Amino acid sequence: MEKKRVFSGIQPSGRLHIGNYASAMRNMIALQDEYSCVYGIVDYHAFTIKFEPKEMDDRVFNCAVDYIAAGINPQKSILMLQSTVSEHTELAWILNTITPISWLERVPTFKEKKEQNPHNVNMGLLDYPVLMAADIIIYKAAVVPVGDDQVPHLELTREIARRFNSLFGETFPEPKEQLARVSRILGLDGVNKMSKSLDNCIYLDETKEEIWKKLSTAVTDTDRKRRSDPGNPDVCNIFTMHKAFSPKKDIDHCTRECRKAGIGCLDCKKILLDNMFTELEPIQKKQKELRKKREYIYDVLHDGKKRAKKIAVETMDEVYEKLGIKVFH
Ligand code: SF4
C-alpha cells in the first residue's frame, strides 16, 4: 500500500531555535518511516518580510544543514527548496481566486505580522496562508507536523481544499495537523513566541555556556519572588522546556519540589540545561560536519527539487484538467 504523504516547511531564518525543533521538527523526524515525507525550506514565505539578498544563500544552506543534522534523512524524505518547485506559486494563484479576502483577514498571524512590520504590509503577508495551503495540498499531504501557532493556517487550508473540491470536483484530501507533545515554547521573556526578531531564542547551535547565559536570566513564574516562595510550574516557561527536553523523573522532581519551594529556579534551570544539551550536542556535531560539505547539501536540495517537482507537476496537470484547461497541459 502506498504510504500517505506528509508536508511541512520551515523558513530559512538563518538559525533554527529550540522552539522550531521541539514543536515541529521532532515530529517531522519521527514520521519519516511511516509516511512519505516532503520537507520544504520555504523561501517564498521568507520574502514577505524585509531580507538581505546577500544572506539568503547562507540562510538556505544553514536551514538544510539543520534539517539533516537534526535527523531528516534525505534518502527517505524529500528535502527541497520551495522556490525551485514553482508549481507551489502556480497553485497558490489558482487558490487565490477561490479564497475570500475575509478568510485571510481573520488569520491571527496576519494581525501579528502587520503589527511587527507596520511599514511593509504587503500582499504576500496577507496571502501567506494561501501559499501555505498550496505548499501542503500540492503534495496531497494527509498530515502536517506543526507548532500550535500554525493550527489556524491548517484550518484555512482545509477550508480552501474543501472549496476547490466542491467547485471543481474531488481533488485534494483535507490535511490534519500533528502537534508535538509540547507544541509551543515561549521565548526567554516568557511572554512572546520564540522569535529571532525579538532576540529571545535559544538556538540549536549554541554552546552549553551560551545557553546557560540565556537560561540563567530567563523569566520563570513571575509570582515567585524569593527562593523560599513556592512556585507554580504550570505558568513557568522553564517548566514547559522541561516537558520538551527532560525525562519524566526530572519533570516529576522539578514540579514537586517547585511547588513546596524545595528547589530554587537556578537549580531547576541547571537540570534543564543538562537535559537540553544532551539532546543538542549530537546535533551540533553533525551541524559542524555538514557545514563543511556545501556541495553535498546543494546535491540534496537538487535531488529534492527533482523528486518534489514530479509530484507537483502531476497535481497541477490534474488541477488544470479540473479547471477545463486541456490544450497545453
Ligand atoms: Fe519554574 Fe523551575 Fe522556578 Fe518552578 S523552580 S518556577 S518550574 S524555574
Side-chain angles (χ1 to χ4, degrees), residues 138-200:
I138 202 161
Y139 299 107
K140 301 195 175 184
V143 176
V144 184
V146 284
D148 70 347
D149 57 327
Q150 298 295 318
V151 171
H153 289 158
L154 257 292
E155 272 165 23
L156 189 63
T157 299
R158 286 190 285 271
E159 278 182 282
I160 294 173
R162 216 173 294 141
R163 177 167 275 208
F164 186 98
N165 292 343
S166 77
L167 289 171
F168 303 110
E170 199 60 31
T171 309
F172 298 114
E174 291 183 29
K176 288 195 174 51
E177 61 270 13
Q178 172 134 341
L179 295 174
R181 70 173 188 269
V182 176
S183 57
R184 175 181 295 216
I185 294 179
L186 296 175
L188 297 162
D189 51 22
V191 179
N192 294 295
K193 218 161 81 171
M194 202 169 265
S195 146
K196 194 181 173 193
S197 56
L198 297 173
D199 193 22
N200 64 2

Side-chain angles (χ1 to χ4, degrees), residues 317 319-329:
D317 283 348
V319 166
Y320 285 120
E321 171 126 15
K322 294 270 168 64
L323 296 176
I325 305 293
K326 296 184 182 171
V327 183
F328 302 108
H329 296 286

Side-chain angles (χ1 to χ4, degrees), residues 220-221 224 233 236 238-239 258 263-265 268:
T220 62
D221 168 8
R224 191 178 190 201
C236 175
I238 293 295
F239 190 66
C258 170
I263 186 174
C265 288
C268 180

Side-chain angles (χ1 to χ4, degrees), residues 103-114:
W103 288 7
L104 301 176
E105 285 171 332
R106 69 174 193 230
V107 172
T109 46
F110 175 58
K111 292 176 202 147
E112 265 170 45
K113 284 183 178 174
K114 243 168 55 172

Side-chain angles (χ1 to χ4, degrees), residues 253-298:
H253 169 76
C254 290
T255 188
R256 194 179 54 243
E257 296 303 315
C258 170
R259 287 182 202 283
K260 58 180 186 189
I263 186 174
C265 288
L266 277 178
D267 300 324
C268 180
K269 287 172 174 180
K270 274 182 192 146
I271 297 170
L272 171 65
L273 174 75
D274 285 340
N275 291 326
M276 190 185 283
F277 202 70
T278 299
E279 186 154 350
L280 297 190
E281 197 174 21
I283 297 175
Q284 295 186 354
K285 275 193 188 140
K286 198 97 198 278
Q287 279 173 322
K288 279 188 193 130
E289 285 166 26
L290 289 167
R291 281 186 187 142
K292 294 181 207 146
K293 298 182 179 173
R294 203 170 263 265
E295 284 310 310
Y296 164 72
I297 296 293
Y298 288 162

